[in-house]
Amino acid sequence: RSVALQGPGTLRAATAETLWLVVNDELWTLDRSGRRTGVHAAQQLGLTVAASNIVPAPAGQVLLTSRGDLQWQVVDGATLARVRSITPQWPADFADNDLRAIHLAVAPDGDIAVATGGGHTVLLFDAQGRYKARTALAPVAGPDASPQRWGQLPPALQKSFRPLVEAQVDYPTL
């Protein structure tokens, strides 16, 4: 018997004993030995298609996003039960970015940083999805310079993520 799999896609160590893996439109829970111990359909998680980001958030929660959904889902990190939805308020020049490749990080205060694939910038949203700040691009000159480079991080972005940068974060190992 054969089964066609799409993926695996997104991967995240949930705890020292548990791994989350996105396969097709499901989020699989695997134990330390790699045995599947649970399956959650995208729809159970509030998504219409496979999760593309699984991001730790404060209070034992997890932020899930997909390329097919305009809303982000916050779930309980232990049970994967839905807690709430976030509808990000994209700035006008990123209005079409919602379904593109993005990468996220969540600060201890709940602020969400979004690295935009084609936008060459990082956007900052509060925990409710309201847009707060962004990085700026600055021109670069010289033979070894890229066409664009990161500008100075805005104070709001520096403030939100300073605790993550300064802290020694212990990530689960498998």
Side-chain angles (χ1 to χ4, degrees):
R1 179 177 171 209
S2 66
V3 176
L5 294 178
Q6 176 187 352
T10 306
L11 174 70
R12 167 71 62 186
T15 69
E17 300 295 323
T18 306
L19 183 72
W20 291 331
L21 177 68
V22 174
V23 178
N24 294 340
D25 286 342
E26 299 173 333
L27 190 148
W28 292 2
T29 304
L30 306 174
D31 67 13
R32 181 182 267 295
S33 300
R35 285 188 212 87
R36 189 171 64 183
T37 59
V39 176
H40 293 80
Q43 292 76 17
Q44 290 175 290
L45 303 168
L47 304 172
T48 60
V49 297
S52 56
N53 288 287
I54 304 172
V55 185
Q61 297 177 342
V62 176
L63 179 65
L64 302 175
T65 70
S66 80
R67 288 191 186 184
D69 292 286
L70 300 177
Q71 291 186 324
W72 302 334
Q73 300 300 321
V74 178
V75 298
D76 180 87
T79 65
L80 295 176
R82 286 179 59 197
V83 174
R84 65 189 175 97
S85 298
I86 298 171
T87 303
Q89 297 173 0
W90 297 94
D93 58 329
F94 281 89
D96 68 340
N97 199 80
D98 49 7
L99 300 179
R100 294 187 187 179
I102 57 173
H103 302 282
L104 298 96
V106 181
D109 67 358
D111 281 353
I112 303 164
V114 178
T116 62
H120 304 290
T121 194
V122 176
L123 303 173
L124 181 66
F125 298 88
D126 69 12
Q128 288 71 44
R130 291 183 294 260
Y131 169 72
K132 290 176 71 172
R134 72 188 304 157
T135 56
L137 292 173
V140 176
D144 60 344
S146 63
Q148 299 174 323
R149 68 176 169 108
W150 292 106
Q152 184 66 26
L153 290 177
L157 198 58
Q158 291 177 25
K159 181 178 180 245
S160 291
F161 286 88
R162 186 175 318 276
L164 288 179
V165 173
E166 293 174 351
Q168 290 291 337
V169 178
D170 290 323
Y171 291 98
T173 58
L174 293 176

